[in-house]
Amino acid sequence: MSEIKDNKVYILAIESSCDDTSAAVMCNDVVLSNVTAGQAVHEQYGGVVPELASRAHEQNIVPVVDAALKNAGISKDMLSAIAFTRGPGLMGSLLVGVSFAKGLAASLGIPMVEVNHLQGHIMAHFIKEEGVEHKSPEFPFLCLMVSGGNSQIVKVNSYKDMEIIGQTIDDAAGEAIDKCAKIMGLGYPGGPIIDRLARQGNPAAYAFSKPHIPGFDYSFSGLKTSFLYTLRKLVAEDENYVEKHINDLAASFEATVVAVLMDKLYKASKALKIKRIALSGGVSANTALRNAYADYAKRYGWDIFIPKFGFTTDNAAMIGIIGYYKFLDGEFCSMDKPAFTRTVL
Ligand code: KG4
């Protein structure tokens, strides 16, 4: 095992759970490099194709890890441990990162740290950057985790103690946004496109039916259907309707998703008496959602935490930060741990 010099722990982190191959190098809780290769191959299919994703990970993993080490200015023999995403995610995608991490750790004789991808998204708030002022939430805090695969309200008690307070019972928010973008003939992923169009549109132009789900759970499939039926009716009257009104449609749909997300989050914050509220996952890049956070902070005295863009989508630095905390606690994992596709926090 490499020794730790000057209290500096160097972690190489690897993330390959879906369609981004990412590697990061951390020095303690400071990110030195964070390199991600996306996969444009999926755009033409309107969604991630698992077999193509794993093939692209195989091509990307070596150059991405090389670039991460080079950008960090460190050599492999300085590494203290390798952190990797063990799950959840696509099995073929995970296998590439997990196998690579095991092979490299064995060849360097250093320990491995397994990281849950969802916990990584939440702990992205703790990643520090050299020369950049940073504020992390104190425990406990609430985190709204919204991505293409998840919509959850999580009570975060520590880096390894997280409770799901509410979650979607069907589609994730990002999935619903992507599907509605597809219905309107927009590209994939639809989230950033809807976001851009919505900024020129009227969020009150259309009313779509909101779900009535008890507790802090979410549902987005009814909203998606309401959007589809509204559009079908309008297109039946004018086949160019979507084209003519795309900004208002995008803005109204986006506003409904944001209102649904914020309503349950507000209820959870009130019930649990927690006003430290964080945001995580790919959908946290959304302008309307970020604006709603700022608005609630003003109105209800929330202390809000929104990670910078580069740490919201899938990236390895968020795996590295948990890797570092687990390293300090001596929580290593053995070579026989397989990847897993589904899990709770
Ligand atoms: O966390 P993430 O990068 O990947 C996984 O889900 O694993 O999230 C991707 C999701 C997609 O549904 C994408 O459309 C959505 O995040 N997204 C956005 C925006 N940027 C990405 N949704 C709304 N507005 C955005 N600006």
Side-chain angles (χ1 to χ4, degrees):
M1 191 183 298
S2 58
E3 69 188 279
I4 296 157
K5 291 192 187 123
D6 308 325
N7 283 331
K8 282 186 175 158
V9 175
Y10 289 102
I11 306 260
L12 170 69
I14 292 169
E15 153 67 35
S16 73
S17 62
C18 190
D19 61 339
D20 288 311
T21 320
S22 187
V25 176
M26 308 288 294
C27 176
N28 298 346
D29 55 358
V30 177
V31 59
L32 300 183
S33 65
N34 193 21
V35 178
T36 303
Q39 303 181 356
V41 66
H42 307 288
E43 276 166 26
Q44 58 187 303
Y45 301 102
V48 177
V49 182
E51 174 62 20
L52 297 179
S54 39
R55 287 185 202 196
H57 281 304
E58 282 212 299
Q59 285 175 346
N60 293 340
I61 188 92
V62 172
V64 163
V65 169
D66 270 348
L69 288 167
K70 196 165 161 239
N71 293 359
I74 72 153
S75 58
K76 286 195 288 276
D77 55 9
M78 290 167 73
L79 293 173
S80 317
I82 298 184
F84 64 100
T85 303
R86 196 177 148 211
L90 300 170
M91 182 48 87
S93 292
L94 288 163
L95 277 176
V96 178
V98 172
S99 311
F100 187 91
K102 285 180 180 174
L104 189 57
S107 71
L108 295 173
I110 55 175
M112 289 193 305
V113 182
E114 63 163 297
V115 177
N116 178 305
H117 176 83
L118 302 177
Q119 292 192 346
H121 271 301
I122 290 167
M123 288 301 290
H125 294 279
F126 292 78
I127 303 166
K128 292 184 185 150
E129 291 175 280
E130 199 115 42
V132 178
E133 214 175 299
H134 179 85
K135 185 180 132 198
S136 314
E138 266 175 43
F139 299 114
F141 64 94
L142 290 184
C143 185
L144 175 65
M145 241 281 294
V146 265
S147 68
N150 291 278
S151 299
Q152 297 176 332
I153 299 174
V154 181
K155 180 169 175 252
V156 188
N157 299 314
S158 77
Y159 83 83
K160 55 184 172 183
D161 177 11
M162 303 185 187
E163 288 166 64
I164 298 171
I165 303 301
Q167 61 187 324
T168 183
I169 57 165
D170 41 54
D171 288 353
E175 189 183 357
I177 294 173
D178 290 344
K179 283 179 181 167
C180 288
K182 199 172 174 183
I183 292 170
M184 292 197 285
L186 302 172
Y188 176 86
I193 307 171
I194 295 263
D195 189 348
R196 185 169 42 79
L197 297 172
R199 274 178 254 156
Q200 334 285 331
N202 174 8
Y206 304 90
F208 304 111
S209 68
K210 286 188 189 150
H212 299 281
I213 307 292
F216 306 126
D217 284 340
Y218 290 116
S219 164
F220 290 101
S221 75
L223 171 59
K224 184 187 64 193
T225 311
S226 161
F227 182 78
L228 176 67
Y229 287 171
T230 306
L231 227 64
R232 269 194 195 153
K233 232 172 86 196
L234 296 167
V235 171
E237 288 157 20
D238 174 2
E239 61 178 25
N240 297 319
Y241 192 90
V242 173
E243 214 174 291
K244 289 181 196 158
H245 302 274
I246 191 93
N247 293 343
D248 286 349
L249 285 165
S252 300
F253 176 72
E254 180 190 81
T256 315
V257 172
V258 170
V260 171
L261 288 171
M262 295 307 291
D263 180 50
K264 288 291 171 87
L265 186 58
Y266 173 72
K267 284 182 179 145
S269 157
K270 249 183 108 177
L272 278 89
K273 298 188 174 53
I274 297 177
K275 288 192 173 190
R276 285 179 298 277
I277 316 283
L279 181 60
S280 289
V283 181
S284 67
N286 184 261
T287 312
L289 187 54
R290 286 177 173 241
N291 290 344
Y293 258 62
D295 179 41
Y296 275 58
K298 258 197 225 138
R299 267 201 281 165
Y300 303 117
W302 284 7
D303 198 5
I304 56 168
F305 300 86
I306 302 178
K308 84 174 222 194
F309 280 112
F311 299 144
T312 58
T313 46
D314 289 351
N315 72 93
M318 69 185 202
I319 304 305
I321 188 73
I322 294 195
Y324 169 62
Y325 289 127
K326 283 195 164 180
F327 183 94
L328 293 184
D329 284 351
E331 277 196 41
F332 301 118
C333 93
S334 55
M335 283 280 169
D336 57 359
K337 288 273 174 83
F340 59 84
T341 53
R342 296 178 76 84
T343 184
V344 288
L345 288 164

